[in-house]
Amino acid sequence: MKLQRFTICFFLLLLVAAGAFAQGTTGALTGTVSQAGAALPGVTVTIASPAQQGTRTTVTNGEGDYNFPAITPGKYKVTFSLSGLTDIVKNTQVNLVETTRLDADMKMSAVTEAITVTANQATVMETPQVQTNYKQATVNQLPMNRNPTAQANLSPGVTGGINGASISGAMSYDNLYLVNGAVVNENLRGQPHALYIEDAIQETTVLTGGISAEFGRFTGGVVSSITKSGGNEFSGSVRDSLDNPKWTEKSVSTQADPVDHTNNTYEETLGGRILRDRLWFFVASRQSKISAARTLTAITTLPDPTVGAYTVSTNSPREEYKLTANLTQKHSIVGSYLTNNVKGDKNCQIGCLDLRSINTAGVQNPNNFKTLHYNGVITNNLLIEGDWAKKYFAFVGFGGNTPAHQANPTAAYLATGSPLIDQLVTGATANAPYFCGSCGAETRNNKEWELKGRYFLGTKSMGTHNLVLGYDDWAEQRQSNNFQSPTDFRYDVRFNVPKQMPDGTVQIALKGSANGSADRFLYFPVAFSSLGSNLKTTSAFFNDKWDFNQHLTFNLGVRSDKNDAVDSAGHGVSKDSAISPRVGVIYDVFGTGRLRLDANYGKYVGRLAETVSGQGSAAGNPATIRWAYSGPDTGYLDSRVALQQAFQWFLDNGFTNRAIISQAIPGFNSKLISSGIQSPNMKEFTFGAGTQIGKGYFRTDYINRKWQDFYANFTTLAIGTVNNPATNLPSDLSLIGNSSVPSRKYWGMQFQGQYQLPAGFGVGGNYTYSKLTGNVEGETSGGGPVTYGSTSVSYPEFQNFKQNSPVGFLAADQRHKVRGWLTYDLGTRIGHFNAGLIQRYDSGTPFSASQAINTCTINSAGNCVALNSTSTNYPDGSTIPTDPLHKYANVPTTVTYFFSNRGQNRWASIMASDVALNYELPIRNFAFFAKAEVRNAFNHQAVTGGNTLVLTSQNTAGLANFNPFTQSPIQCPTGAPIATCTAMKANYQLGPLFGQANGTPTTFSQGGNYQLPRTYLYAIGARF
């Protein structure tokens, strides 16, 4: 009943709506008709497809050219007719976000019977875009996850980034993910939301370079998927995908036995007609309740892995509703609605060291989007498109559930509800969940509408032009009061490494001191409630695909993006604008489409980052105030006993014993520059060659990219200080803006090909050789985009030395990536068999030996002198000003130092062979199917991440301080006693587990420190 009511209401909405977005929902078909080598005008070209309602017709112009823009991807029958000539019927495939060329040579004939031929595979490089297309029917047969993210990872030029896929060297947050034309990126980290049902996807196209001006607000790539639309004939499917933690081998023999529990993911689809060629429907659903084993983050090795293990149950029901209406023969509208409301019974934020830091009250992520797409043929040469999309996403219940913001808090209340962070080894949480689950929901939404026109212009001497002119209105909103905990406090352990106990708790030893090694209190008050941010970008774009002659094709595009954004307090944060040219040329060597060369230049402007644009707003954003714990040292105590003692010291004596180390107050000592921020951008050059070989193709592309105008946080003597009116204490003023001091560069060679062999065999694959270098990652794991604040940009007297932020290999750098696949089809009397193989190879990713060191100066005796002593110089040797308005109020007590070159070390390479066997048994109009998969069939093992701890004076007594401006650090041999290090006056030592996996591996996910071991997966179902 729910489905029926929604379908009726949705159809009524479509009939009255005039919504206006076709980024990634259509393809195009173009070509030339000739006779005996001469252009043939006046030919009627008609296209028909099961994916399209009715037929579309056009007539070739004076140069014999025709064009069908913005048509639904699918298989097409194309009929060419002209009186006195024999009709020609050709079959071809139109792919998503691609242009297919189909030429015809007509002949004189006395007979009326048409000639029917099947077109060869579409010629390569019809447009400048570096792209790969995946039909979901093929993906379903391969041993891989069937979602758009997995298909992107199968493509060349895509590597693992900090928070997801890095496409051609970009930050992982800066890609564009589309489903039915709707942007499904999460607002902060840019990761794609799972707003799809795998069996409902029709196809996915991945764009990694040379991308059209129709796409904007990214500097990486585009992953665009479209779902099925139903049709004149009824079709549907049911599927049950099965997995079990027990079906995954152990990464190490000491790993605890996983839970033996089979998880079922059910999918159902149904599509067909309500009115033939006028109104189609498609509905789909997916039910998944997954029980997954998790382990606590291990500092070294958990004393009892069975205590550290816990189970998380996640319920993820998804539904899709889609209608396609042909209002007239020339006007159509498509509407879709997709929802994924996730519920979980447990949640861990920022890693969990103990069971107390796990939220057991339950969490929710309601998530959905709505889209409308209008397509209208005005004349044979003019088509209008309009689109509208809106997405909703929320966090409910994430974090601690202690009553929030208690007035007159006691030490016991603060000890119970405040998380602590291990700042020495893992950076993970203990004692209480991070963030606040009792402080209200957070929403992250977006909306967009777009209108564009496509015009086909043919000329006698200047070739043909496919012209696109459009306007795009985009906005994303966040409504959040970013409470870090229910108590607004956190305790940082900075000297004594926490101990994990067999009962699932953590013990800590308090360290009280006035130096930088002391533990710290952090206070995160939110002074003003958020009004909701609104980051708006309006864009105009133009693109001309100009086929000058049979040898030369030009792509002339330009995009204009203008930001008009306000933060959570309603203040303007960005009013910048940028022009992005996208130009290229394709040279067809033989004029037949068999061999083409291209060269392109493009500029891409990224979307505004919520995490950066809102830093200067006091509304909804917490201040950060740090105090050193200067109370008595203790032995190891239960975390809550220890914290109660620490907070009691904090509350005693009327707070007179607390000295503020540093403070950052949004809107007060952290502000955006007066002109506001601008979107970072990237410039790209590509060169490519492609050839069609029989029933296959091969192409190679060189991509060179350079990013600029990075987000940055400026804190210098010239900027000065401000006084806090509440405390009358000075604070250093930080300005948020853009800088080109950071560096990020990428170049790569991407090779890809595919070929259909005889006897049912098919082969395909790609290889990428690339380098990503620079000194800015631009994002943090789990945190999304961040500002650059190193070297000369922030506290240069403390940080402007080479090893603070050296140029080297960045986290997403991967030298070699190989993906090869082979399929084999075999029809028998007892059914149809299909075998699929994917061979994967990923060379190791980089990591560095870096750590925080204490800031100091070196006196004449060679000793480190703290800056609050009688020293009159900063670490770089410059004199400390005496004027309080022009010297730092809160100098950094630690700075980052790279003891190795950036990215000097590499984790192990990954190699795996994945195998799938599919079986289908047709019975009348039905077909029953089964699929068995083996991932990593030969069970190759590799450590893909782990411990990078470096011991310094900041975290280990006995190691000497040093001045990073004037001294080179002395290394103590790994494993040597600290007494030996002290005797040799060593400054650092690689941790005992440096370069090794941390603790117990994740049981059955590819995350963690180990390659996914051999894993078995199964699926059964039926389709009609």
Side-chain angles (χ1 to χ4, degrees):
M1 288 298 294
K2 181 181 178 181
L3 175 61
Q4 184 180 31
R5 289 195 302 269
F6 182 85
T7 301
I8 294 172
C9 294
F10 194 63
F11 176 54
L12 292 175
L13 175 64
L14 285 177
L15 293 180
V16 299
F21 178 147
Q23 284 187 347
T25 61
T26 61
L29 176 65
T30 190
T32 301
V33 183
S34 59
Q35 181 191 14
L40 194 59
V43 177
T44 300
V45 185
T46 304
I47 59 173
S49 171
Q52 174 187 273
Q53 292 176 339
T55 61
R56 287 262 299 270
T57 300
T58 189
V59 177
T60 58
N61 61 18
E63 288 67 50
D65 301 312
Y66 73 94
N67 185 57
F68 290 99
I71 58 178
T72 305
K75 294 181 178 179
Y76 278 82
K77 182 174 75 172
V78 185
T79 304
F80 303 88
S81 301
L82 183 64
S83 178
L85 301 179
T86 301
D87 288 357
I88 294 179
V89 179
K90 289 194 173 188
N91 299 309
T92 192
Q93 175 75 43
V94 175
N95 294 330
L96 179 65
V97 198
E98 293 186 15
T99 297
T100 298
R101 171 167 288 276
L102 187 65
D103 298 331
D105 185 22
M106 303 190 71
K107 302 182 183 300
M108 299 288 293
S109 178
V111 299
T112 59
E113 183 178 355
I115 300 173
T116 302
V117 297
T118 299
N120 289 328
Q121 183 167 333
T123 52
V124 295
M125 297 171 61
E126 184 66 30
T127 64
Q129 296 182 145
V130 184
Q131 58 194 26
T132 310
N133 180 268
Y134 301 97
K135 302 291 184 294
Q136 197 70 5
T138 302
V139 170
N140 288 340
Q141 296 177 338
L142 291 173
M144 60 179 292
N145 294 335
R146 299 176 298 121
N147 57 58
T149 302
Q151 292 164 38
N153 290 330
L154 190 64
S155 305
V158 182
T159 61
I162 290 178
N163 285 309
S166 171
I167 299 182
S168 297
M171 279 74 79
S172 61
Y173 69 82
D174 215 11
N175 302 313
L176 191 64
Y177 292 90
L178 307 170
V179 177
N180 289 343
V183 177
V184 296
N185 294 65
E186 186 270 335
N187 293 33
L188 266 64
R189 300 172 187 87
Q191 301 161 317
H193 283 141
L195 284 166
Y196 51 78
I197 297 165
E198 289 87 342
D199 265 0
I201 296 174
Q202 177 176 312
E203 62 184 281
T204 298
T205 294
V206 181
L207 310 176
T208 59
I211 302 171
S212 165
E214 295 182 59
F215 296 92
R217 302 185 309 277
F218 69 95
T219 67
V222 178
V223 181
S224 181
S225 299
I226 188 173
T227 64
K228 299 173 183 177
S229 298
N232 284 326
E233 304 302 324
F234 290 95
S235 62
S237 65
V238 293
R239 176 190 292 265
D240 179 13
S241 300
L242 304 94
D243 68 83
N244 188 319
K246 201 73 173 177
W247 301 343
T248 296
E249 304 281 352
K250 294 182 180 181
S251 292
V252 294
S253 60
T254 56
Q255 182 177 315
D257 290 333
V259 177
D260 186 3
H261 176 79
T262 300
N263 299 303
N264 300 84
T265 299
Y266 302 102
E267 299 174 62
E268 305 87 22
T269 69
L270 177 64
R273 68 178 184 274
I274 299 175
L275 297 173
R276 181 177 291 274
D277 282 336
R278 296 300 298 271
L279 182 62
W280 294 348
F281 76 92
F282 181 80
V283 294
S285 64
R286 182 184 190 271
Q287 307 86 42
S288 173
K289 189 172 184 179
I290 303 296
S291 293
R294 295 288 184 264
T295 57
L296 296 174
T297 300
I299 295 176
T300 53
T301 301
L302 290 171
D304 185 350
T306 61
V307 174
Y310 61 99
T311 301
V312 174
S313 294
T314 304
N315 188 14
S316 177
R318 307 180 196 178
E319 296 177 354
E320 180 181 5
Y321 307 89
K322 188 174 185 180
L323 285 176
T324 303
N326 201 1
L327 305 179
T328 70
Q329 190 63 30
K330 294 186 177 182
H331 300 273
S332 63
I333 190 168
V334 179
S336 67
Y337 174 78
L338 209 151
T339 182
N340 180 13
N341 296 321
V342 179
K343 296 181 180 180
D345 65 341
K346 298 181 185 69
N347 182 260
C348 172
Q349 299 284 328
I350 323 181
C352 290
L353 295 175
D354 64 359
L355 298 177
R356 290 170 175 168
S357 53
I358 300 169
N359 177 1
T360 58
V363 295
Q364 299 181 49
N365 284 128
N367 193 193
N368 62 70
F369 74 68
K370 312 174 186 71
T371 70
L372 288 173
H373 171 65
Y374 164 76
N375 186 308
V377 179
I378 308 304
T379 69
N380 279 341
N381 294 331
L382 177 63
L383 181 140
I384 301 295
E385 292 180 88
D387 296 85
W388 173 88
K390 186 175 183 180
K391 182 172 74 72
Y392 172 82
F393 177 69
F395 288 91
V396 180
F398 282 76
N401 286 280
T402 301
H405 319 309
Q406 191 174 88
N408 302 316
T410 64
Y413 165 76
L414 295 174
T416 301
S418 301
L420 68 84
I421 299 293
D422 164 31
Q423 293 287 13
L424 296 167
V425 181
T426 63
T429 310
N431 191 68
Y434 210 87
F435 298 119
C436 182
S438 56
C439 298
E442 175 184 346
T443 59
R444 302 176 185 178
N445 309 323
N446 69 51
K447 58 183 178 180
E448 180 172 20
W449 68 268
E450 182 182 80
L451 182 65
K452 60 185 172 185
R454 300 179 182 272
Y455 188 75
F456 182 67
L457 174 66
T459 66
K460 290 184 177 181
S461 58
M462 299 298 290
T464 62
H465 300 262
N466 280 283
L467 307 171
V468 180
L469 180 65
Y471 178 84
D472 183 13
D473 188 289
W474 159 266
E476 61 180 73
Q477 306 84 26
R478 181 190 184 198
Q479 178 69 50
S480 170
N481 292 301
N482 190 21
F483 296 104
Q484 301 297 288
S485 72
T487 67
D488 296 329
F489 276 91
R490 182 182 102 192
Y491 189 83
D492 280 6
V493 177
R494 299 175 60 85
F495 194 85
N496 296 309
V497 177
K499 291 183 178 180
Q500 294 173 293
M501 306 307 293
D503 63 354
T505 62
V506 158
Q507 290 189 358
I508 61 172
L510 303 180
K511 175 62 178 177
S513 173
N515 64 35
S517 298
D519 295 343
R520 293 181 186 175
F521 299 95
L522 279 80
Y523 180 46
F524 303 102
V526 176
F528 306 101
S529 295
S530 171
L531 301 177
S533 62
N534 188 33
L535 308 185
K536 184 176 181 180
T537 302
T538 55
S539 307
F541 54 87
F542 170 80
N543 202 83
D544 178 14
K545 180 180 176 295
W546 175 17
D547 294 309
F548 179 70
N549 55 37
Q550 67 183 83
H551 292 285
L552 280 175
T553 297
F554 298 96
N555 187 78
L556 306 175
V558 64
R559 184 180 182 93
S560 171
D561 296 292
K562 183 177 181 180
N563 294 326
D564 185 5
V566 297
D567 63 18
S568 56
H571 300 147
V573 294
S574 181
K575 280 277 190 180
D576 78 303
S577 59
I579 302 296
S580 305
R582 314 269 179 91
V583 296
V585 58
I586 300 173
Y587 178 65
D588 190 329
V589 176
F590 304 111
T592 61
R594 295 287 180 174
L595 176 61
R596 287 174 168 166
L597 311 175
D598 75 359
N600 303 279
Y601 167 77
K603 180 180 177 180
Y604 302 81
V605 177
R607 55 185 273 269
L608 285 174
E610 172 70 43
T611 54
V612 176
S613 63
Q615 283 187 26
S617 172
N621 283 331
T624 302
I625 304 174
R626 292 179 173 86
W627 294 275
Y629 169 68
S630 299
D633 296 352
T634 70
Y636 279 93
L637 302 170
D638 178 85
S639 64
R640 289 189 174 171
V641 174
L643 286 187
Q644 184 166 346
Q645 179 174 323
F647 278 113
Q648 191 61 58
W649 170 86
F650 184 84
L651 296 173
D652 284 346
N653 305 317
F655 309 144
T656 58
N657 55 357
R658 302 177 306 174
I660 294 177
I661 295 176
S662 65
Q663 55 184 331
I665 303 175
F668 164 60
N669 66 338
S670 179
K671 299 179 180 181
L672 268 66
I673 61 174
S674 58
S675 59
I677 61 171
Q678 64 187 66
S679 298
N681 59 83
M682 177 271 293
K683 294 181 179 179
E684 172 192 79
F685 292 93
T686 72
F687 303 93
T691 181
Q692 182 182 344
I693 309 172
K695 295 183 179 180
Y697 73 91
F698 176 82
R699 69 176 293 170
T700 178
D701 297 277
Y702 169 79
I703 298 177
N704 187 298
R705 291 179 161 189
K706 180 180 179 181
W707 283 259
Q708 56 190 18
D709 296 325
F710 297 90
Y711 297 123
N713 187 334
F714 299 89
T715 308
T716 65
L717 289 173
I719 293 174
T721 62
V722 290
N723 263 23
N724 186 337
T727 63
N728 199 33
L729 295 174
S731 292
D732 298 320
L733 178 60
S734 295
L735 298 181
I736 312 300
N738 297 85
S739 172
S740 288
V741 169
S743 169
R744 189 182 185 99
K745 298 178 181 179
Y746 170 89
W747 71 264
M749 291 294 300
Q750 300 178 11
F751 305 87
Q752 59 177 306
Q754 189 171 319
Y755 197 83
Q756 187 63 44
L757 296 167
F761 285 96
V763 63
N766 56 73
Y767 166 64
T768 303
Y769 179 86
S770 62
K771 289 185 178 181
L772 175 64
T773 59
N775 64 351
V776 57
E777 299 290 356
E779 58 187 326
T780 59
S781 177
V786 293
T787 54
Y788 180 85
S790 298
T791 58
S792 63
V793 173
S794 185
Y795 292 109
E797 295 81 4
F798 296 82
Q799 298 191 123
N800 197 19
F801 54 89
K802 180 180 178 181
Q803 292 304 106
N804 177 244
S805 182
V807 172
F809 296 114
L810 299 176
D813 176 68
Q814 183 178 311
R815 194 69 64 249
H816 306 280
K817 175 187 174 180
V818 178
R819 294 293 185 272
W821 55 89
L822 175 70
T823 60
Y824 175 66
D825 289 298
L826 177 65
T828 71
R829 293 183 178 180
I830 60 172
H832 183 84
F833 292 88
N834 172 274
L837 167 68
I838 294 180
Q839 183 64 46
R840 295 182 283 123
Y841 176 81
D842 297 277
S843 60
T845 54
F847 67 99
S848 309
S850 65
Q851 182 63 47
I853 62 173
N854 291 327
T855 57
C856 60
T857 58
I858 306 300
N859 64 14
S860 58
N863 298 318
C864 178
V865 179
L867 290 174
N868 58 3
S869 72
T870 58
S871 172
T872 59
N873 296 99
Y874 287 129
D876 69 347
S878 61
T879 302
I880 299 175
T882 56
D883 181 358
L885 295 179
H886 296 93
K887 73 175 182 179
Y888 294 117
N890 307 110
V891 297
T893 57
T894 62
V895 295
T896 298
Y897 191 95
F898 278 75
F899 294 94
S900 70
N901 295 329
R902 184 187 288 270
Q904 175 178 313
N905 308 289
R906 296 271 169 174
W907 299 111
S909 299
I910 296 176
M911 182 170 64
S913 303
D914 304 330
V915 181
L917 179 63
N918 300 274
Y919 171 70
E920 184 175 272
L921 177 63
I923 302 177
R924 295 184 181 273
N925 294 327
F926 288 82
F928 296 93
F929 67 87
K931 181 179 183 180
E933 295 182 63
V934 186
R935 307 280 178 87
N936 193 4
F938 298 105
N939 202 26
H940 290 285
Q941 297 290 303
V943 174
T944 60
N947 192 294
T948 58
L949 175 66
V950 179
L951 306 179
T952 68
S953 61
Q954 194 271 335
N955 56 28
T956 304
L959 292 171
N961 290 304
F962 68 100
N963 188 325
F965 287 87
T966 61
Q967 292 180 302
S968 296
I970 299 171
Q971 180 180 3
C972 183
T974 303
I978 291 298
T980 301
C981 302
T982 303
M984 61 185 295
K985 298 182 180 180
N987 306 111
Y988 77 101
Q989 181 185 43
L990 299 183
L993 297 178
F994 185 86
Q996 301 178 36
N998 274 320
T1000 304
T1002 302
T1003 306
F1004 45 84
S1005 72
Q1006 197 161 356
N1009 299 150
Y1010 291 85
Q1011 174 183 357
L1012 179 72
R1014 182 188 294 120
T1015 299
Y1016 298 90
L1017 301 168
Y1018 303 94
I1020 57 173
R1023 60 176 69 96
F1024 69 94

